Amino acid sequence: MRVVSVRAISVRAVSVRAKWRTPLWGTQVLCLLLVLMGLAVPSAAAQDQERKDSWRIDLAGPEAERGNVARRPDGLTVEDSRARTPSVRGASHAVYTSPGRSLGRQLTAFTVRTEAEIPTGTKVQTEVRGSNHPGTWTQWRATDGADAVRLPQAVSLLQVRLTLLGVPGGPSPTVRAVTVTAAAEQPAPQQTPQNGASAAASGPTYRLFATREGLTGQTTANGHVIQPRDHFVALPSRRMLAVNGGHEYQVRLCYQGRCETAPVWDVGPWNTRDDYWNPPAQREMWRDLPQGTPEAQAAYLNGYNGGLDEFGRRAANPAGIDVADGTFWDGLGMTDNDWVDVTFMPDSGGGGGSATVTAWAEANVRSCASTSCEAKSKVYPGESYPAECWVVGQSVTAEGVTNDKWVRLPLNAGGVGYVSGIYLKGDETGGVSTRCP
């Protein structure tokens, strides 16, 4: 009965406000009635903070990263229902990553409500990650059954990723809206990263069995179309899956004296929820395995889980990482699957090794950071190239965007060249965090 009375009084207060046509009087009357009833009146600052802590993602915004996503009047859906990725068996695939949202304060817990039409046989996966230090991100975390998600550290910037899985050649899910709300209670962070490093990786090195991925022409879990002699790796968990063309999650591989740092652009081998680089308490599955031991390795060598992977397949090798052809052949000089040393990088930079950039358009690689300099080579759409660092040079405009960052690339014929970051996927430097000296 108490709630009913409050509602009735609120209606009367609005009526009085409308009759007097004086907003101040109406507000004063309402506040006085609430105070008399012993109810707290939120301050203007508290109301403003509440609005900031809940927002709806602009699914039609141009800044998002999209892979095989169609924007329609009723929401986002799979553009080509025939498109698939090897990491998701028997489903068409699309991925959407929202722009980062500044929170204005440090937060750890959120509720993410995804409103979607999900026909039988289709699925929508919603994941969240955050940052509290430029260039570093937490690992992605999936929402639970109550749409809640807790990140391992407090963050001031948030992103949401949607993965849409449909029936090949058949129906696909449609996401109508995504609303994010900061939880009323903010738990303490689960861990405290050191030296500004994100929770995505702490820098350990593991001895892992690496297999060549191949699959040229097929699409990775982040929407990248695999090119001949491409440079990237796959890990058996979505928690460290970078955006298409991004280098926010990287590993450094070393084999017989040769090393390369490569971005994580795909999910596999064998499993998709095996984040073995995390401590057992934080691991998504297989928490009884030691940190650094992939489930497929334990299954193949020790008969763990009956020798089977996450999907009930018998593990035919102990692989904990897949390596794209360019990294496999050119970077590491491998000729067959073998054991390699893999370091999980503590930041999104080159980590002491070369980074990799991917072009979205054909562009000249010049002798200096200006269009007036000699063209030494070219980059081509969808192809990846090793990169060293970036410099500030001539401003270049393409499709209404202007960028003065140029990325330095080693040339096959020797020496170096520079390509404008405007032609590279990812951020304004193509994901290269190191500035040239």
Side-chain angles (χ1 to χ4, degrees):
M1 295 301 294
R2 183 178 182 83
V3 174
V4 172
S5 300
V6 172
R7 289 176 177 170
I9 292 171
S10 299
V11 171
R12 293 192 190 102
V14 172
S15 300
V16 171
R17 174 175 171 175
K19 181 177 179 180
W20 290 349
R21 301 187 184 279
T22 307
L24 179 60
W25 277 100
T27 302
Q28 290 174 336
V29 170
L30 177 58
C31 292
L32 177 60
L33 290 170
L34 291 174
V35 170
L36 290 174
M37 297 178 64
L39 301 177
V41 181
S43 66
Q47 293 176 9
D48 183 60
Q49 186 62 58
E50 184 177 350
R51 285 191 296 270
K52 291 180 180 179
D53 285 352
S54 183
W55 68 94
R56 177 173 286 196
I57 293 176
D58 181 11
L59 298 178
E63 300 86 2
E65 175 74 24
R66 297 179 177 84
N68 196 34
V69 172
R71 288 187 295 178
R72 296 178 180 167
D74 55 343
L76 302 182
T77 190
V78 177
E79 184 172 38
D80 182 357
S81 64
R82 298 167 298 176
R84 302 171 68 174
T85 180
S87 64
V88 182
R89 301 187 303 163
S92 59
H93 174 267
V95 60
Y96 166 94
T97 305
S98 74
R101 164 86 179 196
S102 179
L103 304 176
R105 60 182 179 134
Q106 300 281 311
L107 299 170
T108 60
F110 306 86
T111 297
V112 185
R113 182 183 179 190
T114 303
E115 301 176 29
E117 180 181 345
I118 306 178
T120 301
T122 71
K123 185 178 180 180
V124 175
Q125 297 175 320
T126 303
E127 299 163 292
V128 170
R129 71 174 178 181
S131 174
N132 71 342
H133 187 273
T136 65
W137 291 94
T138 69
Q139 293 178 58
W140 290 101
R141 287 291 187 271
T143 58
D144 63 18
D147 299 328
V149 60
R150 179 185 175 188
L151 296 177
Q153 67 184 73
V155 300
S156 57
L157 187 71
L158 199 74
Q159 275 190 308
V160 175
R161 180 169 68 191
L162 303 171
T163 302
L164 285 66
L165 304 177
V167 177
S172 299
T174 300
V175 177
R176 295 189 295 267
V178 178
T179 303
V180 183
T181 303
E185 296 185 6
Q186 291 291 319
Q190 295 173 342
Q191 61 186 49
T192 303
Q194 298 178 350
N195 302 324
S198 76
S202 56
T205 298
Y206 302 115
R207 186 77 169 168
L208 302 174
F209 192 77
T211 47
R212 172 179 162 253
E213 177 155 349
L215 304 177
T216 299
Q218 296 197 37
T219 303
T220 67
N222 71 356
H224 171 72
V225 178
I226 301 175
Q227 304 299 309
R229 304 188 98 88
D230 222 338
H231 289 255
F232 68 87
V233 300
L235 294 176
S237 168
R238 297 176 54 82
R239 287 185 165 181
M240 280 185 64
L241 179 65
V243 298
N244 188 4
H247 292 70
E248 64 269 38
Y249 305 117
Q250 298 188 128
V251 296
R252 181 169 172 79
L253 305 95
C254 292
Y255 179 74
Q256 296 183 356
R258 297 178 63 169
C259 297
E260 179 178 316
T261 299
V264 184
W265 287 354
D266 205 0
V267 175
W270 299 111
N271 296 298
T272 63
R273 300 173 65 194
D274 183 22
D275 50 325
Y276 57 79
W277 50 88
N278 280 327
Q282 297 177 25
R283 197 162 169 167
E284 190 173 9
M285 291 184 68
W286 324 117
R287 292 188 173 185
D288 54 340
L289 289 175
Q291 183 176 2
T293 300
E295 189 277 341
Q297 177 179 315
Y300 181 81
L301 297 178
N302 305 319
Y304 179 83
N305 193 40
L308 307 178
D309 72 353
E310 170 187 339
F311 303 102
R313 301 173 299 183
R314 184 160 300 280
N317 58 50
I321 187 169
D322 264 343
V323 183
D325 288 355
T327 300
F328 192 92
W329 289 326
D330 304 328
L332 301 178
M334 298 180 71
T335 58
D336 198 1
N337 301 333
D338 205 348
W339 295 90
V340 300
D341 293 317
V342 181
T343 301
F344 286 72
M345 305 307 298
D347 55 45
S348 63
S354 63
T356 305
V357 295
T358 302
W360 64 267
E362 180 177 333
N364 287 316
V365 180
R366 299 184 178 274
S367 60
C368 75
S370 171
T371 57
S372 64
C373 294
E374 178 187 3
K376 307 287 288 186
S377 182
K378 283 182 177 290
V379 295
Y380 297 94
E383 294 193 6
S384 299
Y385 303 86
E388 296 180 349
C389 53
W390 62 268
V391 300
V392 175
Q394 177 191 356
S395 293
V396 178
T397 300
E399 297 190 353
V401 178
T402 300
N403 187 357
D404 64 354
K405 306 299 187 297
W406 290 67
V407 176
R408 190 167 79 189
L409 311 177
L411 300 178
N412 291 334
V416 297
Y418 298 83
V419 61
S420 171
I422 201 76
Y423 301 112
L424 304 177
K425 292 185 177 182
D427 59 19
E428 62 181 0
T429 64
V432 179
S433 65
T434 302
R435 185 166 183 170
C436 299

